[in-house]
Amino acid sequence: MPGTGDGSHPRAPAAVRIRPAAAGAAVVTVGAGLGLRAVAADGVVADGVVADGVAKYGGDALYTVLLLALVVLAAPRWTPLRAAGTALAASWAVELFQLTPLPAELSRHSVAARLVLGSTFNAPDLFWYAVGAAVGGLLHAAMGRRRRTPAAGDTPHT
């Protein structure tokens, strides 16, 4: 029966409720990434080297968190592990694509391409994408536990 919450229908209530949360997470993540860049660019974080590292690697982790939010938005019934794994795989694919000359060429002509594809391969980015996937996946799992309602006969904790 549609909307019964038993998982038999793709628009079961849990799947419907997670989409606004995922959209909100995507907006917050973009804001956090832009804020991180602005703070680091102003040198507020620390001296130039530290500020650049915080902005770069924090941005890498947030890139994967954003992809995770978009995956959840598109596939709300996927498990946190599957969603995080997909976001990580996409992040790694984009980074490895930078081993070819195409992303750099596209980035020269488009700010959007530079933001989405980057331009230069950097091996440490692969680690920070994994950090973003792990943190985002844990947050997604925690939100999933929070959304669950007690089973019949269970008494809710107050």
Side-chain angles (χ1 to χ4, degrees):
M1 174 180 282
T4 61
D6 64 1
S8 62
H9 191 273
R11 293 189 52 88
V16 173
R17 285 190 303 264
I18 197 170
R19 281 197 166 113
V27 170
V28 167
T29 303
V30 169
L34 294 174
L36 185 61
R37 287 178 66 103
V39 167
D42 289 343
V44 174
V45 175
D47 63 51
V49 173
V50 173
D52 289 346
V54 168
K56 167 123 182 59
Y57 297 121
D60 289 344
L62 287 171
Y63 180 85
T64 303
V65 171
L66 174 61
L67 289 179
L68 175 57
L70 296 175
V71 167
V72 172
L73 191 61
R77 300 185 60 78
W78 280 11
T79 66
L81 182 60
R82 184 176 182 189
T86 300
L88 179 58
S91 297
W92 281 351
V94 168
E95 189 68 28
L96 294 173
F97 185 46
Q98 292 171 2
L99 290 169
T100 72
L102 190 55
E105 179 63 29
L106 293 172
S107 293
R108 275 193 291 250
H109 302 289
S110 167
V111 172
R114 186 171 41 253
L115 290 172
V116 173
L117 298 176
S119 60
T120 308
F121 176 79
N122 185 29
D125 291 354
L126 299 171
F127 169 77
W128 292 104
Y129 295 142
V131 169
V135 170
L138 289 172
L139 288 172
H140 178 31
M143 291 299 295
R145 283 191 296 276
R146 232 179 102 217
R147 281 191 310 272
R148 289 192 192 112
T149 56
D154 286 350
T155 55
H157 298 286
T158 56

